[in-house]
Amino acid sequence: MPFWKKSFSKRTAVYFPQAIVQGKPVETETIAKDLAKISTVSNSDVQAVLGDIAGVMHTRMSQGKSVHIKGLGYFRYVLDTKGVKDLKDFNFEKQVQAVHVQFIPERSKQSNGSYTRALVDSDQLEWIELSSDTKDQDPAQGGDSDGDQDENPLG
């Protein structure tokens, strides 16, 4: 069950729901063990493949490709940039502020015409509300959120 809390943005002066991570991340070794249990592949083989996937994805994306992992979704590089008013001031290196990896969950069309997305099928998620002073424990987000958000992370 995923968790959420009420957060406040000082910049926009609005309250919004914020997804919260609790506890330590599930590490590659645990994912490998889980995958080995439901397949004919050994735990060590799964760990070896998962250990190499980042480098292989980087190689393909650095060739200008997106990477599609069936059942999971698509990965690609995107740029965080700043613009210039005059074309003579255009300078790729100066305008690119950051490179990010964009993930788009795979989606499939249902018989009723609606879509379901890998990992985020909301009909199967039961969200649990936490106190608004709960800290986000996601190390990818700095491990600690003080609730003072600059923007709504949900869009």
Side-chain angles (χ1 to χ4, degrees):
M1 294 173 270
F3 301 99
W4 70 278
K5 71 176 185 178
K6 293 176 187 144
S7 289
F8 180 73
S9 169
K10 289 182 178 178
R11 186 175 57 85
T12 58
V14 297
Y15 290 92
F16 59 92
Q18 177 186 4
I20 297 294
V21 171
Q22 292 288 279
K24 294 181 180 179
V26 177
E27 296 293 342
T28 305
E29 294 80 8
T30 303
I31 297 295
K33 288 176 187 174
D34 292 349
L35 288 169
K37 287 178 188 174
I38 62 170
S39 71
T40 59
V41 182
S42 73
N43 176 32
S44 58
D45 288 340
V46 174
Q47 284 194 49
V49 171
L50 289 176
D52 291 337
I53 196 167
V56 171
M57 290 175 66
H58 166 71
T59 297
R60 294 300 184 166
M61 289 188 298
S62 68
Q63 296 169 347
K65 306 281 187 184
S66 66
V67 173
H68 175 220
I69 299 181
K70 187 175 181 179
L72 185 60
Y74 297 83
F75 298 82
R76 62 177 283 182
Y77 286 137
V78 293
L79 301 174
D80 183 5
T81 63
K82 60 181 178 180
V84 292
K85 292 183 179 186
D86 193 330
L87 189 56
K88 68 179 169 76
D89 296 325
F90 191 93
N91 182 311
F92 179 83
E93 286 78 20
K94 289 182 180 177
Q95 290 176 249
V96 173
Q97 296 177 311
V99 178
H100 302 282
V101 175
Q102 179 184 52
F103 168 67
I104 301 172
E106 185 156 319
R107 67 181 197 158
S108 56
K109 192 170 188 176
Q110 305 299 301
S111 58
N112 65 3
S114 67
Y115 286 90
T116 183
R117 294 180 294 156
L119 304 178
V120 293
D121 186 1
S122 60
D123 291 341
Q124 297 180 13
L125 295 176
E126 181 183 335
W127 288 87
I128 306 297
E129 182 178 3
L130 300 176
S131 165
S132 60
D133 61 352
T134 302
K135 303 294 184 189
D136 192 330
Q137 298 173 358
D138 184 1
Q141 302 298 323
D144 188 31
S145 174
D146 63 6
D148 179 20
Q149 296 292 318
D150 289 331
E151 61 184 73
N152 180 345
L154 302 176

